[in-house]
Amino acid sequence: MDQPLTRLVFAGEALVDLLMWVPALPERGGDMLAGSSSVQVGGGFNIMAAAARQGLPVVYAGGHGTGPWGDKVRTALAAEGIAVLRPPDPDADTGFDVALVEDGGERTFVTSLGAETLRQPGAWDAIPAGAGDAVYVSGYGLVAPESGAILGAWAAALPAEVLLFVDPGPLIADIPSPVLGPVLSRCDWWSSNQREAALLTGAGDPAQAARLLVARTGRAGVIVRAGRAGCVLALRVPGPGAVSLSLIPAPAVVAVDTTGAGDAHAGVFLAGLAAGLRPAAAASRANAAAALAVTRAGPAESPSRAELDAFLSRLTP
């Protein structure tokens, strides 16, 4: 689509991460002392912060609760200059997850949903989205019982002038097909990691998975993130079923914590498009942001625009 992006409307879930760093996952039924721990705002906050730090205006359209977790989320959003579109839910607090981060940076989550999950029919109908808006939808929102179908129907019916960006997340295999199908057909950008793409397509090779995903979408470009290798960018080109595939490399870094790497990638990619970059250039910048983020411990470590520019300048021969 040719409409310039001026705002990100985040139709996802901001919640609280209870992080624990461990040498490895404990055995089933076992116990383990964490080397360190932290309580931070995460989930959708990571994408919003990544985009906002690159200069893209962001509004949070998801739910938030009344209680200590909701207060923590609102404080973090305000610190990034992110506006909140809804009042807090008076009957529930925001949800949280427990994240175990192993040596080497791999992380494992268990999530408890809260007020960020909107179950009321028509819960999204009043959210303004129009020309110049990018709407972000996460698989976490689509998979939730009751609320997933409501969010999916709204996203699939967005006006054509709205850019819909979808990241299915690790729960992709659990998203009901009647919910996922219409969203996949409507989205303008589909971004998933290699594991998620393989679960949806059956193809372990990221380039082949990207090609298959393009064929399943109505209008989308596809990104398959391949970790240290970077990402595969798949775009439609003129000709029946023709697809352009590009491997966009990532800078080599030593990972400390991979939590939030995909989130940094998504937020910076969208900010790059809003800044007028072509998709390949936006993906390259997103790769660099994700690489820089994993060198830092924590889920919301996407760099500012100045930090990312400085990092990229050091990479240039």
Side-chain angles (χ1 to χ4, degrees):
M1 59 183 295
D2 297 325
Q3 174 69 44
L5 297 181
T6 56
R7 184 176 70 158
L8 172 58
V9 178
F10 190 82
E13 308 77 31
L15 39 72
V16 172
D17 289 326
L18 310 182
L19 291 152
M20 288 182 280
W21 281 266
V22 295
L25 295 181
E27 63 179 347
R28 186 178 182 187
D31 199 351
M32 180 179 291
L33 293 178
S36 60
S37 63
S38 178
V39 179
Q40 302 180 24
V41 177
F45 171 75
N46 303 338
I47 299 104
M48 290 186 279
R53 291 170 190 175
Q54 297 295 311
L56 178 60
V58 180
V59 292
Y60 177 49
H64 51 108
T66 302
W69 294 152
D71 291 343
K72 193 170 184 66
V73 166
R74 285 184 291 273
T75 298
L77 291 170
E80 300 288 347
I82 298 167
V84 175
L85 294 185
R86 300 177 187 269
D89 185 334
D91 300 318
D93 200 357
T94 291
F96 64 95
D97 66 66
V98 176
L100 300 179
V101 185
E102 301 173 68
D103 288 349
E106 189 57 70
R107 75 281 188 272
T108 303
F109 290 105
V110 179
T111 302
S112 175
L113 301 177
E116 73 286 351
T117 302
L118 301 166
R119 299 176 175 85
Q120 305 84 0
W124 293 95
D125 293 350
I127 296 301
D133 286 336
V135 169
Y136 181 104
V137 170
S138 163
Y140 285 108
L142 297 174
V143 77
E146 304 174 37
S147 62
I150 296 169
L151 173 61
W154 174 79
L158 284 168
E161 63 269 21
V162 174
L163 185 150
L164 177 59
F165 184 101
V166 180
D167 186 332
L171 299 178
I172 184 171
D174 298 323
I175 302 173
S177 295
V179 174
L180 181 63
V183 174
L184 185 59
S185 295
R186 166 61 185 83
C187 71
D188 297 282
W189 282 101
W190 177 273
S191 177
S192 58
N193 66 25
Q194 188 170 344
R195 171 189 172 274
E196 295 154 3
L199 286 173
L200 189 58
T201 66
D205 175 68
Q208 178 63 9
R211 184 185 295 276
L212 293 171
L213 282 167
V214 167
R216 291 188 60 178
T217 65
R219 52 194 266 170
V222 169
I223 298 167
V224 176
R225 304 185 305 274
R228 295 175 181 175
C231 68
V232 172
L233 182 68
L235 301 172
R236 283 185 171 84
V237 294
V243 178
S244 169
L245 293 174
S246 304
L247 175 61
I248 312 296
V253 296
V254 176
V256 172
D257 183 357
T258 61
T259 308
D263 299 336
H265 197 281
V268 174
F269 178 79
L270 286 168
L273 294 183
L277 298 180
R278 302 299 297 169
S284 180
R285 189 171 176 86
N287 282 351
L292 188 52
V294 302
T295 65
R296 305 165 174 178
E301 295 299 333
S302 188
S304 68
R305 182 162 54 187
E307 289 175 322
L308 184 54
D309 287 343
F311 179 62
L312 287 167
S313 69
R314 294 195 296 271
L315 298 175
T316 304

